[in-house]
Amino acid sequence: MQLSKKIVVLGHFGVGKTSLIRRFVENSFSDNYKVSIGVHITKKVVEFEVEDTMSLILWDLEGTDEIKTIRDAYLLGTHGVVFVFDVTRPSTFQSLNTDLEIIKSKLPTTPLFVVGNKVDLVVVSELETLFKENNIKTNFLTSAKTGDTVNDMFFELAKLIK
Amino acid sequence: MVEKDKVELLRDILFTDDRVFVQKIADRIGVIEQTIEEKDKLSEKVDPIISKQLDDFVEEIPTKLGPAITATLKEEIRKNKEEIVDALYPILGKMIKKYIAQEIKMLSNKISKQLSAKRWNIKFKSWFSGVKEEEIIISNLSVSTIEQVLLIERGSGILAASYSKTKTIDEDMISGMLTAIKGFVEDAFGQKNQNLELIEYELYNIHLQSFVSYYVAVVISGNYSLEAKDKVQDLIFDFYDDFMGKNLDSLFSSDGNEKKEKVSRASLEKQLNKKFENAII
Ligand SMILES: Nc1nc2c(ncn2[C@@H]2O[C@H](COP(=O)(O)OP(=O)(O)OP(=O)(O)O)[C@@H](O)[C@H]2O)c(=O)[nH]1
Ligand SMILES: [Mg+2]
Protein backbone atom coordinates (compact mmCIF):
# COMPACT_ATOMS: atom_id res chain seq x y z
CA MET A 1 0.00 0.00 0.00
CA GLN A 2 1.10 3.51 -0.86
CA LEU A 3 2.02 5.48 2.23
CA SER A 4 0.79 9.10 2.26
CA LYS A 5 1.89 11.89 4.58
CA LYS A 6 0.74 15.45 4.94
CA ILE A 7 3.42 18.18 5.00
CA VAL A 8 2.54 21.78 5.78
CA VAL A 9 4.81 24.55 4.50
CA LEU A 10 4.39 27.89 6.27
CA GLY A 11 6.11 31.18 7.06
CA HIS A 12 5.89 34.91 6.48
CA PHE A 13 4.95 36.53 3.15
CA GLY A 14 7.13 35.99 0.13
CA VAL A 15 9.83 33.90 1.80
CA GLY A 16 9.71 31.33 -0.99
CA LYS A 17 7.32 28.61 0.22
CA THR A 18 5.68 28.19 -3.15
CA SER A 19 9.05 28.38 -4.91
CA LEU A 20 10.55 25.64 -2.73
CA ILE A 21 7.64 23.33 -3.47
CA ARG A 22 7.78 24.12 -7.16
CA ARG A 23 11.50 23.39 -7.22
CA PHE A 24 10.94 20.09 -5.41
CA VAL A 25 7.91 18.93 -7.42
CA GLU A 26 8.58 20.32 -10.91
CA ASN A 27 12.24 21.21 -10.65
CA SER A 28 11.55 24.72 -11.91
CA PHE A 29 11.75 28.31 -10.67
CA SER A 30 10.24 31.67 -11.58
CA ASP A 31 11.27 35.18 -10.56
CA ASN A 32 7.67 36.35 -10.82
CA TYR A 33 6.08 36.71 -7.45
CA LYS A 34 2.46 35.62 -7.31
CA VAL A 35 1.05 36.00 -3.82
CA SER A 36 -0.54 32.76 -2.60
CA ILE A 37 -4.09 32.93 -1.33
CA GLY A 38 -5.57 30.17 0.78
CA VAL A 39 -3.95 26.78 0.38
CA HIS A 40 -2.48 25.08 -2.62
CA ILE A 41 -2.00 21.33 -2.59
CA THR A 42 0.47 19.31 -4.60
CA LYS A 43 1.88 15.83 -4.39
CA LYS A 44 5.28 14.32 -4.83
CA VAL A 45 6.22 10.69 -4.56
CA VAL A 46 9.62 10.11 -2.99
CA GLU A 47 11.42 6.84 -3.42
CA PHE A 48 13.60 5.54 -0.60
CA GLU A 49 14.36 2.33 -2.39
CA VAL A 50 12.78 0.34 -5.17
CA GLU A 51 9.21 -0.52 -4.11
CA ASP A 52 9.61 1.63 -1.02
CA THR A 53 7.92 4.96 -1.67
CA MET A 54 5.96 7.64 0.11
CA SER A 55 3.48 10.20 -1.23
CA LEU A 56 4.08 13.61 0.23
CA ILE A 57 0.92 15.70 0.11
CA LEU A 58 2.30 19.24 0.32
CA TRP A 59 0.09 21.98 1.76
CA ASP A 60 1.40 25.35 0.61
CA LEU A 61 -0.17 27.88 2.98
CA GLU A 62 -0.54 31.57 2.22
CA GLY A 63 2.09 33.68 3.92
CA THR A 64 1.31 35.54 7.09
CA ASP A 65 3.29 37.78 9.42
CA GLU A 66 1.08 36.62 12.27
CA ILE A 67 1.74 32.92 12.64
CA LYS A 68 -0.99 32.60 15.23
CA THR A 69 -3.64 33.56 12.66
CA ILE A 70 -3.02 30.38 10.65
CA ARG A 71 -6.24 28.38 10.49
CA ASP A 72 -6.18 25.38 12.78
CA ALA A 73 -8.14 23.42 10.18
CA TYR A 74 -5.12 23.52 7.86
CA LEU A 75 -2.85 22.05 10.51
CA LEU A 76 -5.02 19.10 11.54
CA GLY A 77 -3.46 15.71 11.06
CA THR A 78 -0.14 17.13 9.83
CA HIS A 79 2.79 14.70 9.76
CA GLY A 80 5.55 17.22 9.16
CA VAL A 81 6.02 21.00 9.16
CA VAL A 82 8.45 23.16 7.21
CA PHE A 83 8.85 26.69 8.56
CA VAL A 84 10.48 28.89 5.93
CA PHE A 85 12.08 32.30 6.38
CA ASP A 86 13.93 34.61 4.01
CA VAL A 87 17.61 35.03 4.92
CA THR A 88 17.67 38.45 3.23
CA ARG A 89 14.75 39.89 5.21
CA PRO A 90 15.32 40.05 8.99
CA SER A 91 11.62 40.84 9.52
CA THR A 92 10.88 37.24 8.52
CA PHE A 93 13.16 35.71 11.19
CA GLN A 94 13.45 38.29 13.97
CA SER A 95 10.50 36.76 15.79
CA LEU A 96 11.48 33.22 14.78
CA ASN A 97 11.57 31.73 18.26
CA THR A 98 8.14 33.13 19.18
CA ASP A 99 6.78 31.91 15.84
CA LEU A 100 8.15 28.43 16.47
CA GLU A 101 6.62 28.35 19.91
CA ILE A 102 3.21 29.14 18.48
CA ILE A 103 3.57 26.32 15.95
CA LYS A 104 4.74 23.91 18.62
CA SER A 105 1.78 24.78 20.82
CA LYS A 106 -0.53 23.90 17.95
CA LEU A 107 1.42 20.80 16.85
CA PRO A 108 3.37 19.61 19.90
CA THR A 109 4.56 16.27 18.56
CA THR A 110 4.93 16.96 14.85
CA PRO A 111 8.45 17.03 13.39
CA LEU A 112 9.39 20.55 12.31
CA PHE A 113 12.16 21.85 10.06
CA VAL A 114 13.35 25.44 10.16
CA VAL A 115 14.54 26.48 6.71
CA GLY A 116 16.34 29.68 5.71
CA ASN A 117 15.70 30.26 2.01
CA LYS A 118 17.24 32.47 -0.73
CA VAL A 119 20.85 31.68 0.30
CA ASP A 120 21.91 32.42 -3.28
CA LEU A 121 21.57 36.12 -2.38
CA VAL A 122 23.94 36.17 0.62
CA VAL A 123 27.38 35.11 1.81
CA VAL A 124 26.78 32.13 4.06
CA SER A 125 29.61 32.94 6.49
CA GLU A 126 28.04 36.35 7.20
CA LEU A 127 24.76 34.61 7.89
CA GLU A 128 26.25 32.58 10.66
CA THR A 129 27.10 35.68 12.71
CA LEU A 130 23.69 37.15 12.00
CA PHE A 131 22.00 33.98 13.25
CA LYS A 132 24.17 33.88 16.34
CA GLU A 133 23.22 37.45 17.16
CA ASN A 134 19.55 36.63 16.82
CA ASN A 135 19.78 33.27 18.58
CA ILE A 136 18.50 31.41 15.55
CA LYS A 137 18.95 27.74 14.77
CA THR A 138 18.12 26.36 11.35
CA ASN A 139 17.88 22.82 10.04
CA PHE A 140 18.56 23.76 6.43
CA LEU A 141 19.67 26.65 4.26
CA THR A 142 18.16 26.43 0.79
CA SER A 143 17.78 28.23 -2.49
CA ALA A 144 14.70 27.57 -4.54
CA LYS A 145 16.39 29.52 -7.31
CA THR A 146 19.51 27.39 -7.69
CA GLY A 147 17.91 24.26 -6.20
CA ASP A 148 20.56 24.15 -3.48
CA THR A 149 19.59 21.64 -0.72
CA VAL A 150 15.88 21.72 -1.63
CA ASN A 151 15.47 18.04 -2.45
CA ASP A 152 17.67 17.02 0.48
CA MET A 153 15.50 18.98 2.87
CA PHE A 154 12.23 17.36 1.78
CA PHE A 155 13.84 13.97 1.55
CA GLU A 156 15.19 14.19 5.10
CA LEU A 157 11.75 15.17 6.35
CA ALA A 158 10.20 12.22 4.55
CA LYS A 159 12.72 9.88 6.16
CA LEU A 160 12.03 11.37 9.55
CA ILE A 161 8.26 10.82 9.41
CA LYS A 162 8.35 7.46 7.70
CA MET B 1 -36.18 28.50 -20.56
CA VAL B 2 -38.60 26.32 -18.69
CA GLU B 3 -37.78 22.67 -18.23
CA LYS B 4 -40.57 21.68 -20.58
CA ASP B 5 -39.33 23.94 -23.33
CA LYS B 6 -35.86 22.51 -23.00
CA VAL B 7 -37.21 19.04 -23.49
CA GLU B 8 -39.25 20.22 -26.46
CA LEU B 9 -36.20 21.82 -27.95
CA LEU B 10 -34.23 18.68 -27.36
CA ARG B 11 -36.83 16.48 -28.92
CA ASP B 12 -36.91 18.75 -31.94
CA ILE B 13 -33.24 18.93 -32.52
CA LEU B 14 -32.10 15.48 -31.63
CA PHE B 15 -33.93 13.33 -34.07
CA THR B 16 -33.47 14.96 -37.37
CA ASP B 17 -30.40 14.56 -39.44
CA ASP B 18 -27.41 16.73 -38.67
CA ARG B 19 -28.00 19.44 -41.24
CA VAL B 20 -31.53 19.99 -40.12
CA PHE B 21 -30.28 19.90 -36.56
CA VAL B 22 -27.86 22.75 -37.13
CA GLN B 23 -30.49 24.72 -39.04
CA LYS B 24 -32.93 24.28 -36.20
CA ILE B 25 -30.54 25.57 -33.61
CA ALA B 26 -29.74 28.52 -35.83
CA ASP B 27 -33.48 29.21 -36.23
CA ARG B 28 -34.02 29.04 -32.51
CA ILE B 29 -31.18 31.38 -31.80
CA GLY B 30 -32.57 33.69 -34.47
CA VAL B 31 -35.93 33.80 -32.74
CA ILE B 32 -34.32 34.40 -29.38
CA GLU B 33 -32.16 37.19 -30.72
CA GLN B 34 -35.13 38.78 -32.37
CA THR B 35 -37.04 38.75 -29.14
CA ILE B 36 -34.20 40.40 -27.35
CA GLU B 37 -33.58 42.95 -30.01
CA GLU B 38 -37.14 43.95 -30.55
CA LYS B 39 -37.52 46.63 -28.02
CA ASP B 40 -41.28 46.64 -28.02
CA LYS B 41 -41.60 42.97 -27.32
CA LEU B 42 -39.16 43.25 -24.48
CA SER B 43 -40.64 46.30 -22.89
CA GLU B 44 -44.00 44.56 -22.86
CA LYS B 45 -42.40 42.04 -20.57
CA VAL B 46 -40.22 44.42 -18.66
CA ASP B 47 -42.65 47.31 -18.14
CA PRO B 48 -44.68 45.74 -15.35
CA ILE B 49 -41.53 44.80 -13.47
CA ILE B 50 -40.15 48.29 -13.80
CA SER B 51 -43.42 49.93 -12.69
CA LYS B 52 -43.51 47.72 -9.65
CA GLN B 53 -39.90 48.56 -8.78
CA LEU B 54 -40.52 52.24 -9.30
CA ASP B 55 -43.54 52.09 -7.05
CA ASP B 56 -41.51 50.38 -4.35
CA PHE B 57 -38.78 52.92 -4.76
CA VAL B 58 -41.16 55.83 -4.57
CA GLU B 59 -42.84 54.37 -1.53
CA GLU B 60 -39.62 54.57 0.44
CA ILE B 61 -38.90 58.16 -0.39
CA PRO B 62 -41.54 59.87 1.76
CA THR B 63 -39.84 58.81 4.93
CA LYS B 64 -36.69 60.52 3.86
CA LEU B 65 -37.76 63.42 1.67
CA GLY B 66 -40.71 65.67 2.08
CA PRO B 67 -44.00 64.86 0.38
CA ALA B 68 -43.54 67.78 -1.95
CA ILE B 69 -40.38 66.34 -3.39
CA THR B 70 -42.01 62.97 -3.65
CA ALA B 71 -44.83 64.35 -5.72
CA THR B 72 -42.45 66.04 -8.10
CA LEU B 73 -40.31 62.95 -8.37
CA LYS B 74 -43.27 60.74 -8.97
CA GLU B 75 -44.44 63.03 -11.69
CA GLU B 76 -40.98 63.21 -13.26
CA ILE B 77 -40.52 59.51 -13.24
CA ARG B 78 -43.95 58.93 -14.68
CA LYS B 79 -43.29 61.42 -17.44
CA ASN B 80 -39.90 59.92 -18.25
CA LYS B 81 -40.73 56.28 -17.92
CA GLU B 82 -39.72 55.70 -21.48
CA GLU B 83 -36.21 57.03 -20.86
CA ILE B 84 -35.80 54.97 -17.75
CA VAL B 85 -36.83 51.81 -19.50
CA ASP B 86 -34.44 52.74 -22.23
CA ALA B 87 -31.58 53.06 -19.81
CA LEU B 88 -32.33 49.73 -18.25
CA TYR B 89 -33.03 47.89 -21.46
CA PRO B 90 -29.44 47.20 -22.54
CA ILE B 91 -28.58 45.88 -19.13
CA LEU B 92 -31.52 43.53 -19.04
CA GLY B 93 -30.98 42.56 -22.65
CA LYS B 94 -27.41 41.60 -21.96
CA MET B 95 -28.41 39.54 -18.98
CA ILE B 96 -31.05 37.64 -20.87
CA LYS B 97 -28.79 37.05 -23.82
CA LYS B 98 -26.00 35.78 -21.65
CA TYR B 99 -28.32 33.46 -19.84
CA ILE B 100 -29.72 32.00 -23.03
CA ALA B 101 -26.30 31.60 -24.60
CA GLN B 102 -25.18 29.73 -21.52
CA GLU B 103 -28.21 27.45 -21.60
CA ILE B 104 -27.70 26.65 -25.25
CA LYS B 105 -24.04 25.95 -24.75
CA MET B 106 -24.73 23.55 -21.93
CA LEU B 107 -27.43 21.84 -23.87
CA SER B 108 -25.41 21.40 -27.02
CA ASN B 109 -22.47 20.13 -25.00
CA LYS B 110 -24.65 17.46 -23.53
CA ILE B 111 -26.16 16.63 -26.87
CA SER B 112 -22.92 16.31 -28.76
CA LYS B 113 -21.50 14.09 -26.05
CA GLN B 114 -24.56 11.91 -26.24
CA LEU B 115 -24.41 11.84 -30.00
CA SER B 116 -20.83 10.85 -30.44
CA ALA B 117 -20.27 8.18 -27.85
CA LYS B 118 -23.63 6.75 -27.13
CA ARG B 119 -25.46 7.01 -30.40
CA TRP B 120 -24.86 3.43 -31.41
CA ASN B 121 -25.39 2.11 -27.98
CA ILE B 122 -28.76 3.80 -27.88
CA LYS B 123 -29.70 2.58 -31.33
CA PHE B 124 -29.15 -0.99 -30.21
CA LYS B 125 -30.94 -0.45 -26.95
CA SER B 126 -33.87 1.01 -28.77
CA TRP B 127 -33.87 -1.82 -31.28
CA PHE B 128 -34.04 -4.48 -28.64
CA SER B 129 -36.15 -2.81 -26.03
CA GLY B 130 -38.62 -1.20 -28.37
CA VAL B 131 -38.31 2.05 -26.45
CA LYS B 132 -37.99 5.02 -28.76
CA GLU B 133 -34.46 6.33 -29.17
CA GLU B 134 -35.43 9.84 -28.16
CA GLU B 135 -36.92 8.61 -24.95
CA ILE B 136 -33.75 6.79 -24.02
CA ILE B 137 -31.66 9.86 -24.70
CA ILE B 138 -33.91 12.17 -22.77
CA SER B 139 -34.01 9.87 -19.79
CA ASN B 140 -30.21 9.68 -19.89
CA LEU B 141 -29.95 13.44 -19.77
CA SER B 142 -31.81 13.89 -16.54
CA VAL B 143 -30.09 11.04 -14.76
CA SER B 144 -27.32 11.60 -12.23
CA THR B 145 -24.22 9.45 -12.15
CA ILE B 146 -21.74 8.67 -9.42
CA GLU B 147 -18.36 9.55 -10.90
CA GLN B 148 -16.12 9.11 -7.93
CA VAL B 149 -16.19 8.15 -4.27
CA LEU B 150 -13.42 9.05 -1.86
CA LEU B 151 -12.95 7.88 1.70
CA ILE B 152 -10.84 10.59 3.31
CA GLU B 153 -9.25 10.92 6.71
CA ARG B 154 -10.61 14.00 8.45
CA GLY B 155 -8.11 16.71 9.25
CA SER B 156 -5.12 15.42 7.34
CA GLY B 157 -7.10 14.93 4.15
CA ILE B 158 -5.18 11.75 3.40
CA LEU B 159 -7.02 9.45 1.02
CA ALA B 160 -7.87 6.07 2.55
CA ALA B 161 -9.63 4.48 -0.43
CA SER B 162 -11.38 5.45 -3.62
CA TYR B 163 -13.71 4.32 -6.34
CA SER B 164 -13.56 6.07 -9.68
CA LYS B 165 -15.66 5.55 -12.78
CA THR B 166 -13.11 7.24 -14.97
CA LYS B 167 -9.67 8.24 -13.81
CA THR B 168 -9.50 12.02 -13.52
CA ILE B 169 -7.09 14.31 -11.72
CA ASP B 170 -4.89 12.90 -8.99
CA GLU B 171 -7.13 11.63 -6.22
CA ASP B 172 -4.66 12.36 -3.44
CA MET B 173 -4.68 15.97 -4.50
CA ILE B 174 -8.48 16.16 -4.79
CA SER B 175 -8.76 14.74 -1.29
CA GLY B 176 -6.40 17.37 0.06
CA MET B 177 -8.20 20.19 -1.73
CA LEU B 178 -11.63 19.07 -0.59
CA THR B 179 -10.34 18.87 2.96
CA ALA B 180 -8.82 22.35 2.74
CA ILE B 181 -12.06 23.81 1.38
CA LYS B 182 -14.09 21.97 3.98
CA GLY B 183 -11.76 23.11 6.77
CA PHE B 184 -11.82 26.69 5.57
CA VAL B 185 -15.60 26.90 5.31
CA GLU B 186 -16.21 25.18 8.62
CA ASP B 187 -13.60 27.32 10.33
CA ALA B 188 -14.70 30.58 8.84
CA PHE B 189 -18.48 30.34 8.85
CA GLY B 190 -19.60 27.38 10.86
CA GLN B 191 -20.04 26.64 14.47
CA LYS B 192 -18.09 23.78 15.93
CA ASN B 193 -20.39 20.96 14.93
CA GLN B 194 -21.41 22.12 11.51
CA ASN B 195 -20.12 20.33 8.44
CA LEU B 196 -19.95 21.43 4.87
CA GLU B 197 -22.25 19.11 2.95
CA LEU B 198 -22.24 20.09 -0.67
CA ILE B 199 -19.81 21.69 -3.07
CA GLU B 200 -21.00 22.63 -6.54
CA TYR B 201 -18.19 22.64 -9.02
CA GLU B 202 -18.84 23.32 -12.68
CA LEU B 203 -21.08 20.47 -13.80
CA TYR B 204 -20.48 18.39 -10.69
CA ASN B 205 -22.01 18.18 -7.27
CA ILE B 206 -19.74 16.92 -4.55
CA HIS B 207 -21.61 15.44 -1.64
CA LEU B 208 -19.69 15.36 1.63
CA GLN B 209 -20.74 13.13 4.50
CA SER B 210 -18.74 13.56 7.69
CA PHE B 211 -18.15 10.91 10.31
CA VAL B 212 -15.86 11.00 13.30
CA SER B 213 -12.49 10.04 11.89
CA TYR B 214 -13.27 10.00 8.17
CA TYR B 215 -15.54 11.65 5.70
CA VAL B 216 -16.86 10.39 2.41
CA ALA B 217 -16.95 12.54 -0.73
CA VAL B 218 -19.15 11.48 -3.62
CA VAL B 219 -18.77 13.27 -6.93
CA ILE B 220 -21.99 13.29 -8.92
CA SER B 221 -22.55 14.47 -12.46
CA GLY B 222 -25.92 15.35 -13.87
CA ASN B 223 -29.00 16.54 -12.16
CA TYR B 224 -28.57 16.02 -8.42
CA SER B 225 -32.15 15.80 -7.20
CA LEU B 226 -33.40 15.32 -3.68
CA GLU B 227 -34.17 11.67 -4.40
CA ALA B 228 -30.66 11.16 -5.68
CA LYS B 229 -29.27 12.81 -2.56
CA ASP B 230 -31.35 10.49 -0.44
CA LYS B 231 -30.01 7.42 -2.25
CA VAL B 232 -26.44 8.63 -2.12
CA GLN B 233 -26.71 9.12 1.61
CA ASP B 234 -28.08 5.61 2.06
CA LEU B 235 -25.21 4.19 0.04
CA ILE B 236 -22.67 6.09 2.10
CA PHE B 237 -24.18 5.05 5.41
CA ASP B 238 -24.31 1.45 4.27
CA PHE B 239 -20.72 1.49 3.21
CA TYR B 240 -19.47 3.27 6.29
CA ASP B 241 -21.35 1.01 8.62
CA ASP B 242 -19.71 -1.95 6.98
CA PHE B 243 -16.30 -0.35 7.00
CA MET B 244 -16.44 0.56 10.68
CA GLY B 245 -17.65 -2.93 11.56
CA LYS B 246 -14.69 -4.49 9.74
CA ASN B 247 -12.34 -1.98 11.31
CA LEU B 248 -13.43 -2.97 14.79
CA ASP B 249 -13.20 -6.65 13.87
CA SER B 250 -9.63 -6.34 12.77
CA LEU B 251 -8.64 -4.15 15.69
CA PHE B 252 -9.95 -6.65 18.21
CA SER B 253 -9.36 -9.94 16.49
CA SER B 254 -10.53 -12.98 18.39
CA ASP B 255 -7.35 -15.04 17.95
CA GLY B 256 -5.74 -13.26 20.87
CA ASN B 257 -3.07 -11.52 18.82
CA GLU B 258 -3.64 -7.85 18.98
CA LYS B 259 -3.12 -6.86 15.37
CA LYS B 260 -3.90 -3.16 15.61
CA GLU B 261 -4.16 -3.15 11.89
CA LYS B 262 -6.74 -1.28 9.92
CA VAL B 263 -8.71 -2.74 7.07
CA SER B 264 -6.51 -2.89 4.00
CA ARG B 265 -6.98 -0.39 1.23
CA ALA B 266 -7.51 -3.12 -1.32
CA SER B 267 -10.40 -4.64 0.55
CA LEU B 268 -11.92 -1.21 1.16
CA GLU B 269 -11.76 -0.42 -2.51
CA LYS B 270 -13.33 -3.72 -3.39
CA GLN B 271 -16.15 -2.81 -1.08
CA LEU B 272 -16.50 0.68 -2.54
CA ASN B 273 -16.62 -0.76 -6.03
CA LYS B 274 -19.28 -3.22 -5.08
CA LYS B 275 -21.44 -0.58 -3.43
CA PHE B 276 -21.12 2.25 -5.90
CA GLU B 277 -20.27 0.80 -9.29
CA ASN B 278 -23.73 -0.26 -10.32
CA ALA B 279 -25.69 1.94 -7.98
CA ILE B 280 -28.59 3.69 -9.63
CA ILE B 281 -29.37 7.07 -8.15
N1 LIG C 1 16.82 34.80 -5.30
C1 LIG C 1 15.87 34.00 -4.85
N2 LIG C 1 14.59 34.37 -4.96
C2 LIG C 1 13.62 33.53 -4.50
C3 LIG C 1 13.96 32.28 -3.90
N3 LIG C 1 12.81 31.68 -3.53
C4 LIG C 1 11.81 32.50 -3.89
N4 LIG C 1 12.29 33.62 -4.47
C5 LIG C 1 11.52 34.76 -4.99
O1 LIG C 1 10.80 35.32 -3.92
C6 LIG C 1 9.50 35.73 -4.31
C7 LIG C 1 8.45 35.06 -3.45
O2 LIG C 1 8.47 33.68 -3.68
P1 LIG C 1 7.21 32.74 -3.36
O3 LIG C 1 7.67 31.36 -3.55
O4 LIG C 1 6.03 33.18 -4.09
O5 LIG C 1 7.03 33.06 -1.82
P2 LIG C 1 5.85 32.53 -0.86
O6 LIG C 1 6.45 32.33 0.47
O7 LIG C 1 5.15 31.38 -1.48
O8 LIG C 1 4.89 33.82 -0.84
P3 LIG C 1 3.40 33.89 -0.21
O9 LIG C 1 2.75 32.62 -0.56
O10 LIG C 1 2.76 35.07 -0.85
O11 LIG C 1 3.59 34.08 1.25
C8 LIG C 1 9.38 35.36 -5.78
O12 LIG C 1 9.64 36.49 -6.56
C9 LIG C 1 10.46 34.32 -5.97
O13 LIG C 1 10.93 34.32 -7.27
C10 LIG C 1 15.35 31.93 -3.80
O14 LIG C 1 15.72 30.88 -3.30
N5 LIG C 1 16.25 32.82 -4.28
MG1 LIG D 1 3.16 31.12 -1.85
Side-chain angles (χ1 to χ4, degrees), chain A residues 10-156:
Chain A
L10 42 81
H12 292 228
F13 290 109
V15 294
K17 300 177 287 295
T18 304
S19 301
L20 282 170
I21 292 175
R22 186 178 300 154
R23 169 62 71 195
F24 177 52
V25 175
E26 303 169 9
N27 196 19
S28 68
F29 176 81
S30 157
D31 274 313
N32 282 340
Y33 176 31
K34 272 203 223 135
V35 176
S36 302
I37 293 166
V39 194
H40 189 74
I41 290 158
T42 37
K43 171 177 139 177
K44 167 99 178 176
V45 179
V46 290
E47 190 173 307
F48 302 109
E49 269 171 51
V50 184
E51 304 255 315
D52 183 11
T53 62
M54 176 190 280
S55 292
L56 296 182
I57 315 294
L58 301 153
W59 290 49
D60 177 11
L61 267 50
E62 62 189 1
T64 170
D65 291 339
E66 288 278 334
I67 296 301
K68 63 170 177 293
T69 62
I70 290 176
R71 284 185 190 290
D72 287 343
Y74 296 158
L75 303 177
L76 292 172
T78 301
H79 300 104
V81 182
V82 179
F83 181 91
V84 186
F85 69 88
D86 180 343
V87 294
T88 68
R89 276 161 52 223
S91 69
T92 68
F93 58 81
Q94 259 154 3
S95 57
L96 185 93
N97 290 323
T98 341
D99 288 345
L100 292 181
E101 242 149 65
I102 294 169
I103 299 168
K104 278 178 186 152
S105 73
K106 290 175 190 258
L107 298 167
T109 58
T110 314
L112 187 156
F113 277 177
V114 178
V115 174
N117 185 44
K118 308 197 189 179
V119 281
D120 57 289
L121 297 175
V122 295
V123 181
V124 175
S125 60
E126 285 170 17
L127 266 187
E128 277 157 13
T129 28
L130 185 65
F131 288 167
K132 232 180 212 144
E133 279 166 18
N134 285 279
N135 188 24
I136 280 172
K137 291 190 182 68
T138 60
N139 298 94
F140 290 92
L141 295 175
T142 59
S143 165
K145 186 167 186 168
T146 63
D148 185 11
T149 327
V150 178
N151 288 350
D152 288 350
M153 185 269 289
F154 283 110
F155 193 74
E156 285 305 316

Side-chain angles (χ1 to χ4, degrees), chain B residues 137-268:
Chain B
I137 293 186
I138 284 163
S139 76
N140 282 353
L141 275 177
S142 61
V143 111
S144 42
T145 318
I146 295 178
E147 300 289 340
Q148 203 167 42
V149 184
L150 307 167
L151 176 69
I152 302 166
E153 202 178 88
R154 275 184 87 159
S156 73
I158 300 280
L159 181 70
S162 70
Y163 154 75
S164 188
K165 197 161 168 254
T166 42
K167 278 277 170 237
T168 48
I169 340 168
D170 189 283
E171 291 174 340
D172 287 316
M173 270 157 70
I174 299 182
S175 302
M177 284 176 213
L178 287 176
T179 309
I181 295 168
K182 189 166 144 44
F184 173 80
V185 174
E186 289 168 7
D187 232 32
F189 308 110
Q191 282 91 1
K192 263 273 165 283
N193 295 317
Q194 222 138 23
N195 290 304
L196 179 67
E197 279 183 352
L198 190 73
I199 298 172
E200 283 177 42
Y201 179 72
E202 291 183 349
L203 295 175
Y204 298 105
N205 283 286
I206 305 172
H207 180 108
L208 306 176
Q209 194 79 51
S210 296
F211 299 94
V212 179
S213 32
Y214 294 87
Y215 73 96
V216 178
V218 180
V219 182
I220 296 128
S221 64
N223 172 33
Y224 191 43
S225 64
L226 265 176
E227 290 99 306
K229 182 180 171 181
D230 197 48
K231 285 182 195 154
V232 166
Q233 269 175 332
D234 281 348
L235 286 166
I236 296 173
F237 285 133
D238 259 21
F239 164 75
Y240 202 78
D241 203 27
D242 221 64
F243 160 52
M244 274 296 135
K246 285 219 177 76
N247 229 356
L248 287 179
D249 283 351
S250 64
L251 280 177
F252 304 102
S253 56
S254 55
D255 58 6
N257 304 321
E258 214 177 317
K259 284 195 290 187
K260 291 275 179 220
E261 230 175 59
K262 291 199 173 161
V263 183
S264 79
R265 181 165 183 158
S267 84
L268 272 176

